[in-house]
Amino acid sequence: MKPGLGFYFYIAMLFLQTSCGIAPYINCTEGKKVHVGMTQAEVIKLMGDPYFVSLSKGSFVFGWQDKEDVRQVKNNLQVTINPQTRLINKVEGTCFQ
């Protein structure tokens, strides 16, 4: 049984995040502009590359935060993306409120 393309995409994203050393960064002024219905490309253009990516069968979650240690995070933003439409269907975090 061969692994699907999604598996390879997940491994590539994991490799990119660990090898490129993306530092945590968030601009809450821009985060307040993120809303349901935006495209994945629009959010990345506005916020920059996400600090973390979580992939599942039904959705992608992109996230930005101000600290590496989750216990010390004061500002964060998470967007849930529909993988078929690439549209944002949920926005959460302290920078969204």
Side-chain angles (χ1 to χ4, degrees), residues 2 6-8 11 15 17 20 24 27 29 31-32 35-36 38 42-44 47 52 55 64-65 69 73 88 92:
K2 289 178 132 183
F7 172 78
Y8 292 114
I11 295 300
F15 174 76
Q17 281 190 328
C20 293
N27 181 339
T29 303
K32 292 181 188 309
H35 58 85
V36 172
M38 290 179 79
E42 290 171 332
V43 172
I44 291 174
M47 297 298 296
F52 68 86
L55 307 173
W64 296 264
Q65 60 192 46
D69 188 346
V73 169
I88 307 303
E92 299 178 291

PDB file of all heavy atoms in Angstrom, residues 2 6-8 11 15 17 20 24 27 29 31-32 35-36 38 42-44 47 52 55 64-65 69 73 88 92:
ATOM      1  N   LYS A   2       0.678   2.111  -0.982  1.00  0.00           N
ATOM      2  CA  LYS A   2       1.472   3.329  -1.105  1.00  0.00           C
ATOM      3  C   LYS A   2       0.851   4.460  -0.294  1.00  0.00           C
ATOM      4  O   LYS A   2      -0.369   4.612  -0.269  1.00  0.00           O
ATOM      5  CB  LYS A   2       1.539   3.774  -2.567  1.00  0.00           C
ATOM      6  CG  LYS A   2       2.371   2.897  -3.452  1.00  0.00           C
ATOM      7  CD  LYS A   2       2.289   3.427  -4.855  1.00  0.00           C
ATOM      8  CE  LYS A   2       3.655   3.531  -5.442  1.00  0.00           C
ATOM      9  NZ  LYS A   2       3.626   4.107  -6.782  1.00  0.00           N
ATOM     10  N   GLY A   6      -1.071  13.373   0.456  1.00  0.00           N
ATOM     11  CA  GLY A   6      -1.239  14.115   1.702  1.00  0.00           C
ATOM     12  C   GLY A   6      -0.152  13.786   2.717  1.00  0.00           C
ATOM     13  O   GLY A   6       0.332  14.652   3.438  1.00  0.00           O
ATOM     14  N   PHE A   7       0.233  12.515   2.752  1.00  0.00           N
ATOM     15  CA  PHE A   7       1.298  12.088   3.654  1.00  0.00           C
ATOM     16  C   PHE A   7       2.601  12.799   3.308  1.00  0.00           C
ATOM     17  O   PHE A   7       3.288  13.319   4.174  1.00  0.00           O
ATOM     18  CB  PHE A   7       1.476  10.567   3.573  1.00  0.00           C
ATOM     19  CG  PHE A   7       2.678  10.067   4.316  1.00  0.00           C
ATOM     20  CD1 PHE A   7       2.638   9.946   5.697  1.00  0.00           C
ATOM     21  CD2 PHE A   7       3.843   9.722   3.651  1.00  0.00           C
ATOM     22  CE1 PHE A   7       3.749   9.489   6.396  1.00  0.00           C
ATOM     23  CE2 PHE A   7       4.947   9.267   4.334  1.00  0.00           C
ATOM     24  CZ  PHE A   7       4.901   9.146   5.716  1.00  0.00           C
ATOM     25  N   TYR A   8       2.933  12.842   2.030  1.00  0.00           N
ATOM     26  CA  TYR A   8       4.172  13.496   1.604  1.00  0.00           C
ATOM     27  C   TYR A   8       4.119  15.001   1.848  1.00  0.00           C
ATOM     28  O   TYR A   8       5.108  15.625   2.215  1.00  0.00           O
ATOM     29  CB  TYR A   8       4.467  13.201   0.131  1.00  0.00           C
ATOM     30  CG  TYR A   8       4.819  11.754  -0.095  1.00  0.00           C
ATOM     31  CD1 TYR A   8       3.990  10.935  -0.833  1.00  0.00           C
ATOM     32  CD2 TYR A   8       5.965  11.200   0.460  1.00  0.00           C
ATOM     33  CE1 TYR A   8       4.302   9.598  -1.033  1.00  0.00           C
ATOM     34  CE2 TYR A   8       6.281   9.872   0.281  1.00  0.00           C
ATOM     35  CZ  TYR A   8       5.450   9.073  -0.466  1.00  0.00           C
ATOM     36  OH  TYR A   8       5.766   7.755  -0.654  1.00  0.00           O
ATOM     37  N   ILE A  11       4.789  15.538   5.581  1.00  0.00           N
ATOM     38  CA  ILE A  11       6.211  15.356   5.886  1.00  0.00           C
ATOM     39  C   ILE A  11       7.016  16.553   5.386  1.00  0.00           C
ATOM     40  O   ILE A  11       7.914  17.046   6.072  1.00  0.00           O
ATOM     41  CB  ILE A  11       6.743  14.034   5.271  1.00  0.00           C
ATOM     42  CG1 ILE A  11       6.049  12.831   5.933  1.00  0.00           C
ATOM     43  CG2 ILE A  11       8.246  13.934   5.394  1.00  0.00           C
ATOM     44  CD1 ILE A  11       6.264  12.717   7.426  1.00  0.00           C
ATOM     45  N   PHE A  15       9.200  19.031   7.702  1.00  0.00           N
ATOM     46  CA  PHE A  15      10.619  19.236   7.405  1.00  0.00           C
ATOM     47  C   PHE A  15      10.928  20.722   7.235  1.00  0.00           C
ATOM     48  O   PHE A  15      11.900  21.233   7.776  1.00  0.00           O
ATOM     49  CB  PHE A  15      11.012  18.471   6.138  1.00  0.00           C
ATOM     50  CG  PHE A  15      12.417  18.753   5.694  1.00  0.00           C
ATOM     51  CD1 PHE A  15      13.484  18.192   6.367  1.00  0.00           C
ATOM     52  CD2 PHE A  15      12.662  19.598   4.632  1.00  0.00           C
ATOM     53  CE1 PHE A  15      14.780  18.462   5.974  1.00  0.00           C
ATOM     54  CE2 PHE A  15      13.950  19.872   4.219  1.00  0.00           C
ATOM     55  CZ  PHE A  15      15.018  19.310   4.896  1.00  0.00           C
ATOM     56  N   GLN A  17       9.356  23.334   8.424  1.00  0.00           N
ATOM     57  CA  GLN A  17       9.270  24.085   9.679  1.00  0.00           C
ATOM     58  C   GLN A  17      10.471  23.823  10.570  1.00  0.00           C
ATOM     59  O   GLN A  17      10.979  24.733  11.206  1.00  0.00           O
ATOM     60  CB  GLN A  17       7.998  23.716  10.431  1.00  0.00           C
ATOM     61  CG  GLN A  17       6.804  24.401   9.862  1.00  0.00           C
ATOM     62  CD  GLN A  17       5.601  24.233  10.762  1.00  0.00           C
ATOM     63  OE1 GLN A  17       5.460  23.223  11.432  1.00  0.00           O
ATOM     64  NE2 GLN A  17       4.745  25.213  10.774  1.00  0.00           N
ATOM     65  N   CYS A  20      13.914  25.160   8.496  1.00  0.00           N
ATOM     66  CA  CYS A  20      14.032  26.586   8.194  1.00  0.00           C
ATOM     67  C   CYS A  20      14.103  27.430   9.463  1.00  0.00           C
ATOM     68  O   CYS A  20      14.468  28.594   9.399  1.00  0.00           O
ATOM     69  CB  CYS A  20      12.855  27.056   7.338  1.00  0.00           C
ATOM     70  SG  CYS A  20      12.851  26.340   5.705  1.00  0.00           S
ATOM     71  N   PRO A  24       8.795  32.431  16.087  1.00  0.00           N
ATOM     72  CA  PRO A  24       7.439  32.903  16.362  1.00  0.00           C
ATOM     73  C   PRO A  24       7.345  34.418  16.179  1.00  0.00           C
ATOM     74  O   PRO A  24       8.213  35.162  16.616  1.00  0.00           O
ATOM     75  CB  PRO A  24       7.211  32.509  17.819  1.00  0.00           C
ATOM     76  CG  PRO A  24       8.543  32.266  18.395  1.00  0.00           C
ATOM     77  CD  PRO A  24       9.447  31.909  17.266  1.00  0.00           C
ATOM     78  N   ASN A  27       1.665  39.852  14.342  1.00  0.00           N
ATOM     79  CA  ASN A  27       1.289  41.258  14.326  1.00  0.00           C
ATOM     80  C   ASN A  27      -0.220  41.302  14.586  1.00  0.00           C
ATOM     81  O   ASN A  27      -1.014  41.016  13.696  1.00  0.00           O
ATOM     82  CB  ASN A  27       1.627  41.874  12.970  1.00  0.00           C
ATOM     83  CG  ASN A  27       1.275  43.339  12.882  1.00  0.00           C
ATOM     84  OD1 ASN A  27       0.453  43.839  13.643  1.00  0.00           O
ATOM     85  ND2 ASN A  27       1.889  44.026  11.944  1.00  0.00           N
ATOM     86  N   THR A  29      -2.216  43.748  14.987  1.00  0.00           N
ATOM     87  CA  THR A  29      -2.945  44.740  14.200  1.00  0.00           C
ATOM     88  C   THR A  29      -3.449  44.098  12.909  1.00  0.00           C
ATOM     89  O   THR A  29      -4.599  44.295  12.509  1.00  0.00           O
ATOM     90  CB  THR A  29      -2.039  45.948  13.873  1.00  0.00           C
ATOM     91  OG1 THR A  29      -1.558  46.482  15.097  1.00  0.00           O
ATOM     92  CG2 THR A  29      -2.792  47.011  13.114  1.00  0.00           C
ATOM     93  N   GLY A  31      -3.705  40.811  12.535  1.00  0.00           N
ATOM     94  CA  GLY A  31      -4.538  39.683  12.950  1.00  0.00           C
ATOM     95  C   GLY A  31      -6.000  40.045  13.105  1.00  0.00           C
ATOM     96  O   GLY A  31      -6.885  39.233  12.854  1.00  0.00           O
ATOM     97  N   LYS A  32      -6.268  41.273  13.495  1.00  0.00           N
ATOM     98  CA  LYS A  32      -7.658  41.712  13.663  1.00  0.00           C
ATOM     99  C   LYS A  32      -8.384  41.848  12.322  1.00  0.00           C
ATOM    100  O   LYS A  32      -9.602  41.890  12.272  1.00  0.00           O
ATOM    101  CB  LYS A  32      -7.699  43.025  14.431  1.00  0.00           C
ATOM    102  CG  LYS A  32      -7.253  42.878  15.872  1.00  0.00           C
ATOM    103  CD  LYS A  32      -7.329  44.183  16.622  1.00  0.00           C
ATOM    104  CE  LYS A  32      -6.719  44.111  17.999  1.00  0.00           C
ATOM    105  NZ  LYS A  32      -7.126  43.051  18.854  1.00  0.00           N
ATOM    106  N   HIS A  35     -10.645  37.314   8.797  1.00  0.00           N
ATOM    107  CA  HIS A  35     -12.051  36.989   9.021  1.00  0.00           C
ATOM    108  C   HIS A  35     -12.444  35.736   8.240  1.00  0.00           C
ATOM    109  O   HIS A  35     -11.768  35.338   7.288  1.00  0.00           O
ATOM    110  CB  HIS A  35     -12.953  38.163   8.635  1.00  0.00           C
ATOM    111  CG  HIS A  35     -12.791  38.588   7.199  1.00  0.00           C
ATOM    112  ND1 HIS A  35     -13.465  37.990   6.163  1.00  0.00           N
ATOM    113  CD2 HIS A  35     -12.006  39.546   6.648  1.00  0.00           C
ATOM    114  CE1 HIS A  35     -13.105  38.567   5.022  1.00  0.00           C
ATOM    115  NE2 HIS A  35     -12.218  39.514   5.288  1.00  0.00           N
ATOM    116  N   VAL A  36     -13.534  35.132   8.664  1.00  0.00           N
ATOM    117  CA  VAL A  36     -14.089  33.958   7.988  1.00  0.00           C
ATOM    118  C   VAL A  36     -14.422  34.344   6.550  1.00  0.00           C
ATOM    119  O   VAL A  36     -14.961  35.430   6.299  1.00  0.00           O
ATOM    120  CB  VAL A  36     -15.343  33.452   8.728  1.00  0.00           C
ATOM    121  CG1 VAL A  36     -16.056  32.369   7.939  1.00  0.00           C
ATOM    122  CG2 VAL A  36     -14.970  32.950  10.112  1.00  0.00           C
ATOM    123  N   MET A  38     -12.051  34.581   4.114  1.00  0.00           N
ATOM    124  CA  MET A  38     -10.814  34.932   3.410  1.00  0.00           C
ATOM    125  C   MET A  38     -10.195  33.663   2.830  1.00  0.00           C
ATOM    126  O   MET A  38     -10.446  32.559   3.315  1.00  0.00           O
ATOM    127  CB  MET A  38      -9.795  35.564   4.368  1.00  0.00           C
ATOM    128  CG  MET A  38     -10.152  36.938   4.850  1.00  0.00           C
ATOM    129  SD  MET A  38      -8.914  37.599   5.992  1.00  0.00           S
ATOM    130  CE  MET A  38      -7.648  38.138   4.855  1.00  0.00           C
ATOM    131  N   GLU A  42      -4.738  34.867   1.008  1.00  0.00           N
ATOM    132  CA  GLU A  42      -4.932  36.216   1.570  1.00  0.00           C
ATOM    133  C   GLU A  42      -4.420  36.297   3.002  1.00  0.00           C
ATOM    134  O   GLU A  42      -3.784  37.280   3.390  1.00  0.00           O
ATOM    135  CB  GLU A  42      -6.407  36.615   1.528  1.00  0.00           C
ATOM    136  CG  GLU A  42      -6.946  36.880   0.144  1.00  0.00           C
ATOM    137  CD  GLU A  42      -8.460  37.058   0.130  1.00  0.00           C
ATOM    138  OE1 GLU A  42      -9.163  36.486   0.999  1.00  0.00           O
ATOM    139  OE2 GLU A  42      -8.930  37.760  -0.764  1.00  0.00           O
ATOM    140  N   VAL A  43      -4.690  35.256   3.790  1.00  0.00           N
ATOM    141  CA  VAL A  43      -4.255  35.251   5.189  1.00  0.00           C
ATOM    142  C   VAL A  43      -2.734  35.185   5.272  1.00  0.00           C
ATOM    143  O   VAL A  43      -2.125  35.917   6.052  1.00  0.00           O
ATOM    144  CB  VAL A  43      -4.909  34.083   5.967  1.00  0.00           C
ATOM    145  CG1 VAL A  43      -4.320  33.966   7.358  1.00  0.00           C
ATOM    146  CG2 VAL A  43      -6.397  34.272   6.042  1.00  0.00           C
ATOM    147  N   ILE A  44      -2.116  34.352   4.463  1.00  0.00           N
ATOM    148  CA  ILE A  44      -0.656  34.243   4.489  1.00  0.00           C
ATOM    149  C   ILE A  44      -0.014  35.536   4.007  1.00  0.00           C
ATOM    150  O   ILE A  44       0.996  35.979   4.549  1.00  0.00           O
ATOM    151  CB  ILE A  44      -0.182  33.022   3.678  1.00  0.00           C
ATOM    152  CG1 ILE A  44      -0.599  31.748   4.414  1.00  0.00           C
ATOM    153  CG2 ILE A  44       1.326  33.060   3.456  1.00  0.00           C
ATOM    154  CD1 ILE A  44      -0.323  30.475   3.680  1.00  0.00           C
ATOM    155  N   MET A  47      -0.527  37.895   7.105  1.00  0.00           N
ATOM    156  CA  MET A  47       0.122  37.528   8.362  1.00  0.00           C
ATOM    157  C   MET A  47       1.555  37.020   8.209  1.00  0.00           C
ATOM    158  O   MET A  47       2.289  36.943   9.173  1.00  0.00           O
ATOM    159  CB  MET A  47      -0.696  36.438   9.068  1.00  0.00           C
ATOM    160  CG  MET A  47      -2.083  36.852   9.478  1.00  0.00           C
ATOM    161  SD  MET A  47      -2.086  38.198  10.665  1.00  0.00           S
ATOM    162  CE  MET A  47      -1.286  37.433  12.062  1.00  0.00           C
ATOM    163  N   PHE A  52       3.008  27.541  12.983  1.00  0.00           N
ATOM    164  CA  PHE A  52       2.714  26.106  13.010  1.00  0.00           C
ATOM    165  C   PHE A  52       1.578  25.784  12.051  1.00  0.00           C
ATOM    166  O   PHE A  52       0.750  26.625  11.737  1.00  0.00           O
ATOM    167  CB  PHE A  52       2.396  25.603  14.430  1.00  0.00           C
ATOM    168  CG  PHE A  52       1.117  26.111  15.002  1.00  0.00           C
ATOM    169  CD1 PHE A  52      -0.080  25.470  14.741  1.00  0.00           C
ATOM    170  CD2 PHE A  52       1.101  27.227  15.815  1.00  0.00           C
ATOM    171  CE1 PHE A  52      -1.268  25.936  15.272  1.00  0.00           C
ATOM    172  CE2 PHE A  52      -0.076  27.694  16.361  1.00  0.00           C
ATOM    173  CZ  PHE A  52      -1.259  27.055  16.086  1.00  0.00           C
ATOM    174  N   LEU A  55      -2.340  19.544  10.077  1.00  0.00           N
ATOM    175  CA  LEU A  55      -3.102  19.004   8.960  1.00  0.00           C
ATOM    176  C   LEU A  55      -3.913  17.809   9.408  1.00  0.00           C
ATOM    177  O   LEU A  55      -3.422  16.938  10.110  1.00  0.00           O
ATOM    178  CB  LEU A  55      -2.151  18.565   7.837  1.00  0.00           C
ATOM    179  CG  LEU A  55      -1.154  19.607   7.349  1.00  0.00           C
ATOM    180  CD1 LEU A  55      -0.186  18.967   6.370  1.00  0.00           C
ATOM    181  CD2 LEU A  55      -1.872  20.759   6.708  1.00  0.00           C
ATOM    182  N   TRP A  64      -0.206  31.450  14.396  1.00  0.00           N
ATOM    183  CA  TRP A  64       0.850  32.422  14.656  1.00  0.00           C
ATOM    184  C   TRP A  64       0.833  32.705  16.144  1.00  0.00           C
ATOM    185  O   TRP A  64      -0.222  32.734  16.764  1.00  0.00           O
ATOM    186  CB  TRP A  64       0.590  33.722  13.891  1.00  0.00           C
ATOM    187  CG  TRP A  64       0.626  33.566  12.414  1.00  0.00           C
ATOM    188  CD1 TRP A  64       1.697  33.819  11.598  1.00  0.00           C
ATOM    189  CD2 TRP A  64      -0.424  33.128  11.552  1.00  0.00           C
ATOM    190  NE1 TRP A  64       1.366  33.564  10.290  1.00  0.00           N
ATOM    191  CE2 TRP A  64       0.066  33.144  10.232  1.00  0.00           C
ATOM    192  CE3 TRP A  64      -1.740  32.728  11.757  1.00  0.00           C
ATOM    193  CZ2 TRP A  64      -0.697  32.772   9.137  1.00  0.00           C
ATOM    194  CZ3 TRP A  64      -2.500  32.357  10.673  1.00  0.00           C
ATOM    195  CH2 TRP A  64      -1.984  32.380   9.375  1.00  0.00           C
ATOM    196  N   GLN A  65       2.004  32.923  16.736  1.00  0.00           N
ATOM    197  CA  GLN A  65       2.081  33.239  18.156  1.00  0.00           C
ATOM    198  C   GLN A  65       3.352  34.029  18.427  1.00  0.00           C
ATOM    199  O   GLN A  65       4.252  34.073  17.597  1.00  0.00           O
ATOM    200  CB  GLN A  65       2.022  31.971  19.008  1.00  0.00           C
ATOM    201  CG  GLN A  65       3.137  30.974  18.750  1.00  0.00           C
ATOM    202  CD  GLN A  65       2.864  29.634  19.388  1.00  0.00           C
ATOM    203  OE1 GLN A  65       1.758  29.116  19.280  1.00  0.00           O
ATOM    204  NE2 GLN A  65       3.861  29.074  20.036  1.00  0.00           N
ATOM    205  N   ASP A  69       7.377  28.928  23.584  1.00  0.00           N
ATOM    206  CA  ASP A  69       6.777  28.163  24.669  1.00  0.00           C
ATOM    207  C   ASP A  69       5.297  28.524  24.794  1.00  0.00           C
ATOM    208  O   ASP A  69       4.949  29.673  25.065  1.00  0.00           O
ATOM    209  CB  ASP A  69       7.506  28.469  25.969  1.00  0.00           C
ATOM    210  CG  ASP A  69       7.077  27.578  27.118  1.00  0.00           C
ATOM    211  OD1 ASP A  69       6.032  26.894  27.004  1.00  0.00           O
ATOM    212  OD2 ASP A  69       7.786  27.554  28.138  1.00  0.00           O
ATOM    213  N   VAL A  73       2.871  32.248  25.823  1.00  0.00           N
ATOM    214  CA  VAL A  73       2.217  32.975  24.725  1.00  0.00           C
ATOM    215  C   VAL A  73       1.185  33.957  25.269  1.00  0.00           C
ATOM    216  O   VAL A  73       0.339  33.596  26.078  1.00  0.00           O
ATOM    217  CB  VAL A  73       1.559  31.980  23.745  1.00  0.00           C
ATOM    218  CG1 VAL A  73       0.652  32.701  22.765  1.00  0.00           C
ATOM    219  CG2 VAL A  73       2.617  31.194  23.006  1.00  0.00           C
ATOM    220  N   ILE A  88     -11.136  30.266   4.807  1.00  0.00           N
ATOM    221  CA  ILE A  88     -11.123  30.258   6.260  1.00  0.00           C
ATOM    222  C   ILE A  88     -12.551  30.042   6.753  1.00  0.00           C
ATOM    223  O   ILE A  88     -13.463  30.750   6.343  1.00  0.00           O
ATOM    224  CB  ILE A  88     -10.587  31.600   6.813  1.00  0.00           C
ATOM    225  CG1 ILE A  88      -9.240  31.968   6.207  1.00  0.00           C
ATOM    226  CG2 ILE A  88     -10.556  31.588   8.334  1.00  0.00           C
ATOM    227  CD1 ILE A  88      -8.157  30.962   6.383  1.00  0.00           C
ATOM    228  N   GLU A  92      -9.656  31.976  15.612  1.00  0.00           N
ATOM    229  CA  GLU A  92      -9.583  31.983  17.075  1.00  0.00           C
ATOM    230  C   GLU A  92      -8.294  32.662  17.517  1.00  0.00           C
ATOM    231  O   GLU A  92      -7.343  32.760  16.748  1.00  0.00           O
ATOM    232  CB  GLU A  92      -9.560  30.558  17.621  1.00  0.00           C
ATOM    233  CG  GLU A  92     -10.749  29.710  17.310  1.00  0.00           C
ATOM    234  CD  GLU A  92     -10.576  28.314  17.867  1.00  0.00           C
ATOM    235  OE1 GLU A  92      -9.718  27.582  17.346  1.00  0.00           O
ATOM    236  OE2 GLU A  92     -11.320  27.984  18.803  1.00  0.00           O
TER     237      GLU A  92
END
